[in-house]
């Protein structure tokens, strides 16, 4: 498994596991990581765009790949990073890495997100301003 390395300008959020996030094995359940990956993607989109810029568009997940490495326990604080990768017409790769308080990777994911034109209810090519805004610079 190759570890994803966040660029310097990756968007980040912190996560505090709740008791309901903990599974029978005593650590954060794998489904919770997927939810956090989605939360990161949405927060990134909302933080780096205006309401008017977002209004005509929506994103849907086409495919998720997740790797798990270190358990995250109740009482620990995680930091999640997200950034976009390769553009493929209406799709952007989005990377997420969630690290524990020790800086070790707990989970990482790569998702293909598809841009949807809400009015047409169809996939649309990712626009140049979106590429410029979200492509990592460093």
């Amino acid at each position: 498994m190759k570890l994803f390395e966040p660029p310097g300008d990756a968007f980040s959020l912190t996560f505090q596991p709740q008791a309901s996030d903990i599974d029978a094995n005593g650590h954060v359940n794998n489904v919770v990581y997927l939810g956090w990956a989605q939360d990161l993607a949405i927060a990134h989109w909302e933080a780096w765009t205006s309401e008017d810029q977002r209004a005509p568009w929506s994103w849907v997940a086409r495919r998720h790949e997740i790797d798990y490495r270190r358990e995250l326990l109740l009482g620990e604080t995680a930091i999640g990073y997200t950034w976009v990768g390769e553009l493929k017409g209406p799709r952007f790769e989005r990377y997420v890495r969630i690290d524990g308080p020790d800086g070790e990777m707990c989970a990482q994911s790569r998702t293909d997100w598809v841009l949807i034109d809400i009015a047409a209810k169809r996939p649309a090519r990712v626009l140049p301003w979106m590429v410029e805004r979200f492509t990592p610079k460093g």
Side-chain angles (χ1 to χ4, degrees):
M1 161 180 34
K2 178 184 174 199
L3 292 182
F4 301 155
E5 291 297 330
D9 58 351
F11 183 79
S12 65
L13 289 176
T14 58
F15 296 97
Q16 291 277 333
Q18 304 300 305
S20 59
D21 297 333
I22 305 303
D23 64 18
N25 296 311
H27 55 74
V28 172
N29 185 275
N30 59 334
V31 175
V32 173
Y33 287 111
L34 183 59
W36 288 349
Q38 180 171 302
D39 293 346
L40 272 162
I42 291 168
H44 187 202
W45 173 243
E46 290 178 350
W48 289 11
T49 59
S50 70
E51 192 172 329
D52 288 343
Q53 289 171 320
R54 291 189 304 272
W57 311 107
S58 183
W59 293 91
V60 296
R62 181 175 169 267
R63 182 168 197 268
H64 297 289
E65 297 172 17
I66 303 177
D67 298 311
Y68 303 99
R69 186 168 190 173
R70 176 205 180 279
E71 62 185 16
L72 187 64
L73 305 173
L74 189 63
E76 292 185 311
T77 299
I79 185 162
Y81 302 94
T82 190
W83 64 98
V84 298
E86 187 178 349
L87 170 66
K88 302 171 186 173
R91 300 180 315 193
F92 247 141
E93 289 180 316
R94 177 175 288 280
Y95 293 92
V96 167
R97 179 172 158 160
I98 298 172
D99 291 348
D102 56 4
E104 284 199 38
M105 186 272 281
C106 296
Q108 64 181 19
S109 67
R110 191 193 71 76
T111 301
D112 280 338
W113 286 95
V114 178
L115 181 65
I116 301 295
D117 179 324
I118 293 172
K121 297 182 181 173
R122 299 180 49 91
R125 284 195 159 300
V126 175
L127 301 174
W129 71 263
M130 294 174 184
V131 174
E132 173 60 29
R133 177 97 25 100
F134 288 93
T135 299
K137 316 283 186 282

